């Protein structure tokens, strides 16, 4: 890689949880700054401060979506940023804090889940040129055209960092967090999981969407769209290389010295518990029936994932099966009932887990799918639903076998280098 | 008084200390708003939130005067304002919060003690006209020409309220606090102290400067300059009339039914403990010697109050006595020593109290001074220093007799209606 000239560093809530943590972050920033690169830092609120503010706002009797709610939620970062600026000044690094409105970061007026429309980075760049001043920017927030404070929703600080990196043409955006990178699977479940040295944007997107907790899909998507390489690394092990998310090939950390010329077939395996399976039985097999099921759900904001339709023996009715977030199960049933699907025809199964195998190197999903069926069959695990995309195969199984399946598939597809 | 059209209501930290307190404040605001007046509310940070932020900023290693310090300190009000807006919306009163930067409130760049240069009130007025929206404005803060957040120093929220009232041509500024008005003396010491129904700006200024804790001199001065009548009243007894501070005559609350045509001679008596008396003995009685004492003290930021110079018997040397804030005693001695006044010639007396009698109706201070000497002499209390201004007589006495003197003077000058 060519030498870096400018970098955005983002620190989450656990990284800035206390004054001592903030001083540690200042030391990390100084190390990077001392190498001669321009540094902009994006910070989250300290520890659980946003949750506290959220509780306070709820107590005052509001639902999210109100500008007043966003104004309350946004102050957490407005404390962290000047605290970090002070900590840097204490160790002789020129630094200044910026609120979203000071840059400004302009957003839509969709309070609570605003979309960033533009970021003006010239103030930061002028400061870089004048005195190599480190810019500390409040994550998670901006202002709308009426100059009211908006927030970007959960994980918004990562997004702020990525978009700021794009705005100031940074060479990279480093996301410092409490994990040390992206793993082939959840190391708490799969002991053999290894850290990836690099991963492609698309694969990271799939893993993020599957709840891999490291990065949110929204931020990865923004990074891909703006061609901003990300590095996920640990605040608590700052010398550790972490995982680079970019447009280049996926590698595991262990392949450091001898990078493989060939792409790995499978990059990661994710495991999602918070799913429910809904089956609507004996739906009349006529045009428009599927729309009658999924149209109202979409309008109700229910995200439907895997869908399978099976023709019945008589050819006149059909069963439709799909998955939804578990928390939406009751509402889903309500919506279906309101749309003339009798309750007796609706079956809800909360005891399911989704296992997803992600890899840009799966030239066709068929080979991987075959291995999946084989591995699961050997252990008598029934595949209830399967869905495939170009770089992903997902299977829905009984939750009872979730962890067993995850380990078995990791062994077959990653440890054995399938 | 003519009917009011527009009012500013200011609530301090104890009035908004919790969500429940904020709901109580919302109810008070609604009562006023329901009478048909336009309402702007200025709020402080909740409870001791500013102290907490101050501690945090200090922990990060800064002295006040830094823009980062102000950015941290200012967030307290930025939470209260939207919380109150939400509480008002909950009880069907249209309301919106405004940060200092949103109006904007423009200030100098003297961080920590910024001076307000202008307040743009048109946004609030437009809202009044459109939907009778209550405006909730963050006290204590503004922005400078570089759009950095500034704070106005202790008591800054009162000042924000007064200046906002001037900016939007409000008929009055009501300061809601944890006391129910201005008293003729400290009720904790003088049981017979009565609440004043009205008090003049100048007298209030003197009492405020003497630490009468209700209002800060800075806010009273601003109210006088902009001709904004103030009302000091209790958040916890909102039906209570409180005390009006204005350009009109001083009255006690008890004189309600039959307002006296004649002005009271003495409005209030204040008692200040945090003083020290410095005597410099055997100073050469030559031109420029006083400057040698007071010049360096002024440069050192020491506020010198009462000054007495007594010629010595030999006519060649003189004793200079003056009072200073007790906390500055050591620094004062250091400064004097550095300016060639030998330590042996400096006498520090920390055991002093200042009693001040304030009243615009004292046509000359001589009569009051005579009564003071008489009352104190009867009790064998020695007057160490006396100083007079047009509406004030102050005496310095031994602190041991402070409360006794206060009660005796209150009895002679106020209860007996001198």
């Amino acid at each position: 890689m060519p030498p870096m000239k400018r970098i955005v560093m983002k620190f989450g809530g656990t990284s800035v949880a206390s004054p001592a943590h903030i001083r540690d972050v200042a030391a990390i920033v100084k190390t990077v700054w001392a190498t001669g690169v321009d540094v902009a830092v994006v910070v989250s609120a300290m520890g659980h401060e946003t949750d506290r503010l959220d509780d306070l706002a709820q107590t005052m009797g509001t639902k999210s979506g109100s500008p007043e709610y966003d104004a309350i939620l946004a102050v957490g970062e407005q404390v962290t940023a000047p605290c970090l600026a002070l900590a840097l000044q204490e160790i002789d690094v020129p630094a200044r804090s910026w609120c979203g409105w000071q840059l400004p970061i302009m957003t839509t007026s969709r309070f609570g889940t605003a979309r960033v429309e533009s970021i003006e980075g010239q103030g930061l760049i002028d400061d870089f040129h004048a005195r190599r001043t480190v810019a500390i920017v409040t994550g998670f927030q901006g202002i709308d055209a009426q100059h009211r404070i908006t927030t970007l929703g959960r994980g918004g600080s990562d997004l702020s960092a990525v978009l700021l990196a794009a705005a100031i043409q940074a060479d990279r955006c480093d996301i410092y967090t409490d994990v040390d990178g992206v793993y082939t699977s959840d190391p708490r479940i799969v002991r053999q999981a290894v850290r990836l040295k690099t991963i492609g944007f698309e694969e990271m997107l799939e893993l993020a969407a599957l709840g891999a907790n490291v990065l949110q899909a929204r931020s990865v998507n923004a990074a891909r769209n703006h061609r901003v390489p990300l590095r996920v690394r640990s605040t608590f092990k700052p010398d550790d290389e972490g995982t680079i998310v970019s447009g280049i090939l996926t590698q595991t950390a262990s392949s450091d010295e001898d990078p493989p010329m060939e792409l790995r077939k499978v990059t990661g395996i994710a495991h999602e518990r918070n799913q429910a399976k809904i089956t609507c039985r004996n739906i009349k097999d006529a045009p428009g029936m599927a729309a009658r099921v999924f149209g109202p759900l979409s309008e109700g904001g229910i995200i439907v994932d895997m869908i399978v339709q099976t023709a019945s023996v008589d050819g006149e009715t059909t069963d439709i099966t799909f998955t939804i977030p578990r928390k939406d199960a009751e509402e889903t049933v309500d919506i279906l009932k309101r749309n003339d699907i009798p309750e007796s025809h609706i079956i809800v199964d909360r005891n399911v887990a989704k296992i997803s195998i992600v890899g840009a190197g799966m030239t066709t999903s068929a080979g991987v799918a075959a291995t999946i069926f084989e591995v699961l069959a050997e252990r008598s695990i029934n595949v209830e639903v399967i869905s495939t995309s170009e770089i992903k195969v997902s299977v829905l199984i009984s939750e009872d076998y979730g962890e067993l399946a995850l380990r078995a598939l990791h062994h077959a597809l990653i440890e054995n280098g399938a």
Side-chain angles (χ1 to χ4, degrees), chain A residues 26 29 133 308 400:
Chain A
V29 171
T133 303
V308 175
D400 302 342

Side-chain angles (χ1 to χ4, degrees), chain A residues 20 22 34 68 91 104 124 161 195 220 286 308 352 380 400:
Chain A
I22 291 175
E68 307 300 345
I91 53 175
L124 276 58
R195 193 171 69 215
V220 179
V308 175
V352 291
S380 304
D400 302 342

Side-chain angles (χ1 to χ4, degrees), chain A residues 389-403:
Chain A
S389 74
E390 275 195 41
I391 62 168
K392 183 181 73 169
V393 178
S394 296
V395 292
L396 197 73
I397 60 174
S398 161
E399 186 173 354
D400 302 342
Y401 302 105
E403 301 198 354

Side-chain angles (χ1 to χ4, degrees), chain A residues 44 50 56 96 198 241 334:
Chain A
S44 296
T50 303
L56 177 61
R96 80 154 276 194
T198 66
E241 294 271 300
D334 282 349

Side-chain angles (χ1 to χ4, degrees), chain A residues 136-149:
Chain A
I136 323 286
V137 178
T138 55
F140 180 58
Q141 63 199 268
I143 51 170
D144 72 358
Q146 284 74 45
H147 289 191
R148 301 214 66 177
I149 293 170

